[in-house]
Amino acid sequence: MLKHPQTLLRQLLKFWVGWEVPSNTLKLEIVNSRGRNHLPTSSTCYERLRISNHYTRYSALKADLMICLQSVESGFGLV
């Protein structure tokens, strides 16, 4: 099932900073890969999204981000 773009953006923001309220400073960090299964991570306290440098195709990054976005309803602080 396809999600509405606004829903995906809200989930991305929640994954990135911990809530759906936009921040004045969003940081994106490209990190050295620990392997092909190295998913994007976030540091919500510092409003930082970390993406591994192993991605060579947008479709692979998007697929991994979609996996990460599934955690926003049960992630840190929501369990």
Side-chain angles (χ1 to χ4, degrees):
M1 180 175 160
L2 293 175
K3 292 188 178 183
H4 192 276
Q6 286 181 330
T7 300
L8 290 173
L9 287 174
R10 275 196 304 275
Q11 287 179 325
L12 178 60
L13 190 58
K14 197 170 184 180
F15 177 73
W16 195 326
V17 299
W19 52 80
E20 297 174 4
V21 178
S23 172
N24 290 332
T25 56
L26 294 173
K27 299 167 193 95
L28 178 64
E29 183 178 352
I30 307 301
V31 298
N32 288 328
S33 178
R34 296 187 312 252
R36 290 183 4 173
N37 295 325
H38 184 183
L39 293 173
T41 60
S42 65
S43 178
T44 56
C45 293
Y46 300 103
E47 300 166 337
R48 180 171 294 150
L49 178 64
R50 292 183 179 100
I51 297 178
S52 172
N53 65 356
H54 75 270
Y55 292 103
T56 58
R57 294 184 344 264
Y58 171 75
S59 59
L61 172 60
K62 181 180 177 184
D64 283 355
L65 274 173
M66 296 303 283
I67 291 168
C68 294
L69 296 185
Q70 292 176 16
S71 72
V72 300
E73 299 305 323
S74 61
F76 180 75
L78 299 173
V79 179

